[in-house]
Amino acid sequence: MLSKLENSTTLRWLGKQLFNREDPAAFFDPLLAPLDPMLVRQYVPARVERIEAETADTKTFTLKPAARWGGFRAGQHVTVSIDIDGRRHNRTFSLSCSPLRWQKEGLVTLTIKRLPGGLVTNWMHDHLEPGAVIGLGETFGEFLIPGQPEPVLFIAGGSGITPILSQLETMAAEQYHAPVTLLYFVRTQADIIAAQRLHTLRQGWPAFSLSILATETGAAPRFLNDDHLDAVPGLRARRCYLCGPGGLMELATDLLHQRGIADDHIHCTFFAAPKAALAGDSLGGEVRFSRSDVTVTAEGEVSLLDIAEAASLSPRYGCRMGICHQCSCTKTSGTVINRLTGKTSGPGEEKIQLCVSVPKGPVNLEL
Ligand code: FES
């Protein structure tokens, strides 16, 4: 038993740890995590409840986040934190269930495909077990369904169905009555994700029509084409949502533009960062990470996030695609080019996203 003196010493020590630190959670979380990982405060812990195979390379992870988690809107993404070999990794995934499931049951799902060479996705497939606890961060994203019912066309490719599942289940639960069509492209029938959920939606929701198109089952590949779009009733009046591989997104956007559908009616969310055409020979320069007191020289079209990591720094990041803003950092001077848009920054102080910013000459960062 502790004596009175020892007790007061311990309390004073704890008080100092709590009040003399900018972030007490950073000190206490490593102590609490081994006792009960659901007690940590630096992120929202979420316990893995179930893991189900959707296809040979895609699984759905059902999670029970701590009650303090803020929830999400249909179609949004979340940052997930996972410790692998003692190192914390953040990645961004789409939530694949309706927010109503979180509100009613306290559960959410992530539907995740293995990526060739993907450290986190492959680890989740191979090592994550029910009962384990992972971290959830902010939810974000503007891939949101209309506030008022209007005709909608969804075009999904492969695992691009995941945010759209969240949207469809939300719309069905809310009895969305304007017409909704989903064109879902997969390589083969074996690659259909959430087949049963989609068929259940079609049976119970009269406004919804579904076409699942296997591109590699005939003599020649059959991608999105004019016939698919011409078969969608009232296409010109539809709000369109696209999610899938870059090639499908570009093709769909072109075909929709050809039909007079304006950009403000086309909503996209990406799997991989689209790249603007950049003049590689004018890129690169001396990059100064002032807080870390590190200066390196970079050449060509390399992002500041990659440059920092190559210099053994560990900046925070999530999606690496310019979506989540977790890699935001203050540039105190210098010019960068945004590889998504091709736009050149001003020379002065401003917030930039490291993952999509490429230096153009010398750059100073508060990192
Ligand atoms: S890591 Fe998500 S915007 Fe850079």
Side-chain angles (χ1 to χ4, degrees):
M1 217 147 101
L2 292 174
S3 69
K4 256 189 184 171
L5 178 64
E6 284 167 330
N7 255 335
S8 66
T9 309
T10 307
L11 285 174
R12 266 205 306 277
W13 178 81
L14 271 173
K16 267 191 196 160
Q17 300 309 322
L18 273 173
F19 297 115
N20 292 352
R21 285 172 185 272
E22 270 179 31
D23 182 7
F27 176 78
F28 282 104
D29 279 358
L31 303 176
L32 293 172
L35 301 175
D36 182 350
M38 293 299 284
L39 295 177
V40 302
R41 303 300 298 183
Q42 279 183 301
Y43 51 82
V44 177
R47 193 176 298 281
V48 179
E49 296 284 311
R50 269 192 307 285
I51 302 175
E52 290 147 297
E54 296 281 356
T55 68
D57 60 5
T58 303
K59 289 181 177 177
T60 290
F61 300 82
T62 301
L63 309 175
K64 188 172 182 58
R68 70 174 192 271
W69 192 54
F72 67 104
R73 295 170 71 188
Q76 285 195 309
H77 317 287
V78 65
T79 304
V80 172
S81 301
I82 294 198
D83 289 329
I84 301 175
D85 296 332
R87 186 152 179 224
R88 180 140 288 251
H89 298 267
N90 295 320
R91 292 292 185 277
T92 298
F93 299 109
S94 300
L95 289 139
S96 60
C97 66
S98 167
L100 298 170
R101 182 144 190 225
W102 160 244
Q103 289 158 21
K104 288 181 184 159
E105 302 171 43
L107 298 173
V108 297
T109 60
L110 303 174
T111 299
I112 297 173
K113 182 176 173 172
R114 275 183 190 277
L115 291 177
L119 174 71
V120 174
T121 56
N122 290 340
W123 188 91
M124 290 177 79
H125 271 254
D126 295 334
H127 301 291
L128 199 57
E129 302 269 0
V133 173
I134 62 175
L136 295 186
E138 299 287 314
T139 54
F140 56 88
E142 299 302 319
F143 193 63
L144 304 173
I145 49 184
Q148 298 296 322
E150 58 183 301
V152 169
L153 169 65
F154 290 105
I155 300 177
S159 53
I161 192 68
T162 53
I164 292 174
L165 279 172
S166 168
Q167 295 171 314
L168 291 172
E169 291 188 342
T170 304
M171 294 162 104
E174 292 172 351
Q175 297 293 317
Y176 194 94
H177 55 75
V180 175
T181 297
L182 168 63
L183 303 179
Y184 179 24
F185 291 85
V186 289
R187 283 193 309 115
T188 69
Q189 295 289 330
D191 297 308
I192 302 171
I193 294 170
Q196 187 54 48
R197 284 165 68 185
L198 290 170
H199 288 298
T200 302
L201 283 172
R202 178 160 62 182
Q203 281 165 0
W205 179 20
F208 179 51
S209 58
L210 167 68
S211 296
I212 300 180
L213 302 135
T215 57
E216 293 184 7
T217 47
R222 293 179 307 138
F223 300 116
L224 174 69
N225 59 39
D226 291 325
D227 294 343
H228 297 130
L229 294 180
D230 291 343
V232 177
L235 177 69
R236 289 283 301 272
R238 298 224 181 196
R239 190 167 286 278
C240 302
Y241 293 80
L242 319 178
C243 186
L248 175 65
M249 310 267 281
E250 278 169 30
L251 177 61
T253 304
D254 279 354
L255 292 175
L256 293 170
H257 282 164
Q258 284 167 24
R259 282 160 177 75
I261 297 176
D263 279 331
D264 64 353
H265 270 58
I266 302 176
H267 306 265
C268 300
T269 194
F270 290 93
F271 278 7
K275 277 171 50 176
L278 305 180
D281 52 356
S282 67
L283 301 174
E286 189 178 89
V287 181
R288 168 95 186 135
F289 300 100
S290 58
R291 284 192 186 156
S292 313
D293 195 17
V294 171
T295 303
V296 292
T297 302
E299 282 178 17
E301 194 188 331
V302 187
S303 76
L304 287 167
L305 180 57
D306 289 330
I307 294 168
E309 289 175 335
S312 301
L313 304 180
S314 304
R316 188 179 161 87
Y317 67 84
C319 63
R320 302 185 83 103
M321 290 188 277
I323 304 173
C324 70
H325 290 263
Q326 290 220 30
C327 63
S328 288
C329 173
T330 301
K331 165 179 76 64
T332 48
S333 67
T335 302
V336 297
I337 297 195
N338 183 314
R339 69 200 296 189
L340 293 183
T341 61
K343 283 194 183 143
T344 303
S345 75
E349 180 168 323
E350 63 185 301
K351 281 267 182 215
I352 57 163
Q353 292 161 278
L354 295 175
C355 68
V356 293
S357 298
V358 178
K360 189 170 190 231
V363 170
N364 280 286
L365 297 170
E366 267 184 13
L367 183 77

